[in-house]
Amino acid sequence: MELKLHTDSRSQTGYDQKFAVTWANITTGRNGQADTSAFVKGSDNTLSIPGTVTKAGRIALVLSVTNHGTGENYTYGDCSVEYTVP
């Protein structure tokens, strides 16, 4: 499974962005986490987490994004979803 985050930062100065996933296979009990980060700027940015091997089953995913601009300027957000891998 490959997870992708598309960002329209609308920022001409840019900032650091981290994209992370924590997952658990409810069927098998396997779990894991992975992340990636990049400096983003402008209107078309993609961060990708390739090769997440969950095996078949019901997969609970928590996706999170953290942005860090200049100084102590941080923003972040999480979302969760359940997905079935055949």
Side-chain angles (χ1 to χ4, degrees):
M1 169 184 334
E2 181 174 16
L3 302 167
K4 291 186 178 186
L5 171 71
H6 300 281
T7 301
D8 180 356
S9 71
R10 298 184 185 181
S11 171
Q12 295 309 308
T13 58
Y15 54 89
D16 294 315
Q17 185 169 71
K18 180 179 177 181
F19 175 41
V21 61
T22 301
W23 62 270
N25 185 319
I26 298 166
T27 306
T28 67
R30 292 174 47 97
N31 62 70
Q33 58 188 22
D35 63 57
T36 189
S37 60
F39 183 80
V40 298
K41 181 177 178 180
S43 61
D44 188 21
N45 303 279
T46 301
L47 278 73
S48 178
I49 301 174
T52 304
V53 181
T54 63
K55 304 286 185 184
R58 288 177 46 217
I59 312 300
L61 299 159
V62 177
L63 305 170
S64 64
V65 177
T66 304
N67 301 310
H68 177 223
T70 58
E72 295 300 316
N73 184 13
Y74 288 90
T75 60
Y76 56 89
D78 293 335
C79 69
S80 60
V81 66
E82 186 176 304
Y83 180 75
T84 300
V85 175

